[in-house]
Amino acid sequence: MSRNISDNELSRDYVRSVLDYNPDTGLFTWLKTVSSKAPKGTVPDGRDPDGYKVIMLKGKYLRQHRLAWFYITGEWPSGQIDHRNGVRDDNRFCNLRECDSQDNNRNRGLSRNNTSGVSGVHRQQGKWMVRIRLQKGVRKFFGYFDDLEFAELVASEARDKYHKEFSLCAR
C-alpha cells in the first residue's frame, strides 16, 4: 500500500472539493459521492495494517494524518507526522506535528518485552538500569538503581532533557 502521494499528483483544491476535514474532531467527510463505497456525507473508515486511518483518492491510499496536514497547511509533510498522544487514529490537527523518524520513534509506546513498565529502564545485574537513546546508535547511561520509582524519575528527567517535546508521555 502506498503511504505517500506526491504533491504533483493531487492538488489541495481537488482534495477540498471532495472532502471536508474538521480539525477539531480529526474527521474527514465526503462532500461528493466518489464511488459506491464513498457516498456523500459519510466518514471514511478504512485502516491500513498498522492501524492508521486511510482514504483512497485517485487510486492511492493516503494516511489520513498526512492528508489532514496537507488539507490545513497546503504542503505535504517533508518528514513524518507524529500523533502527540500516541493514538494512531486521533487525527485532530492539534494532535499532529511534523517530525523526523527519530523523534517519531521517541513518542512510541513501550516495547512488548519491556519488564519494568518504564521506557529506558530495565533490570540488569539485580538492579534497575537507566539508559536512553540520544540518536541513532548512541545511548547514554544514567546509572543503576535499587528502587524502580527512583529509576523511573531519573529516566523521565533524562527523556525531558534530551528528547524535549518528543519525550515519551506517561502511558
Side-chain angles (χ1 to χ4, degrees):
M1 170 183 315
S2 174
R3 294 184 180 174
N4 302 321
I5 193 167
S6 69
D7 55 358
N8 58 3
E9 293 179 61
L10 194 63
S11 74
R12 187 175 183 208
D13 289 339
Y14 173 74
V15 171
R16 287 176 168 241
S17 74
V18 296
L19 286 166
D20 180 52
Y21 169 69
N22 182 326
D24 297 326
T25 65
L27 297 177
F28 282 93
T29 307
W30 291 110
L31 294 173
K32 296 178 182 176
T33 297
V34 294
S35 76
S36 61
K37 294 180 181 180
K40 178 181 178 178
T42 61
V43 175
D45 63 353
R47 296 198 186 248
D48 71 8
D50 296 325
Y52 293 101
K53 289 182 175 182
V54 294
I55 293 177
M56 183 179 272
L57 282 177
K58 294 197 173 190
K60 296 210 179 197
Y61 283 101
L62 299 163
R63 286 185 168 178
Q64 288 188 23
H65 55 280
R66 295 183 64 81
L67 190 59
W69 190 267
F70 177 64
Y71 191 97
I72 296 296
T73 68
E75 306 265 332
W76 287 107
S78 59
Q80 295 184 1
I81 296 295
D82 177 51
H83 292 81
R84 293 175 191 268
N85 65 4
V87 178
R88 292 179 176 187
D89 63 359
D90 182 355
N91 292 322
R92 293 172 298 133
F93 194 72
C94 66
N95 189 43
L96 306 176
R97 60 184 167 189
E98 196 169 8
C99 64
D100 61 24
S101 62
Q102 187 171 306
D103 284 333
N104 200 5
N105 286 335
R106 289 182 174 137
N107 195 26
R108 290 172 36 169
L110 294 175
S111 145
R112 279 183 233 152
N113 58 2
N114 181 298
T115 57
S116 70
V118 180
S119 179
V121 177
H122 72 273
R123 196 86 167 149
Q124 189 171 18
Q125 300 173 352
K127 295 189 181 261
W128 297 106
M129 183 178 83
V130 176
R131 183 177 65 188
I132 65 167
R133 184 181 309 270
L134 300 182
Q135 57 192 6
K136 189 173 184 174
V138 178
R139 294 178 183 225
K140 184 163 175 75
F141 172 75
F142 291 91
Y144 292 101
F145 305 93
D146 292 321
D147 184 57
L148 176 59
E149 288 180 5
F150 189 68
E152 182 176 6
L153 177 65
V154 170
S156 177
E157 289 179 358
R159 286 191 311 270
D160 287 346
K161 178 179 178 180
Y162 291 100
H163 298 167
K164 301 190 180 2
E165 80 257 25
F166 290 94
S167 176
L168 178 69
C169 303
R171 294 186 197 154

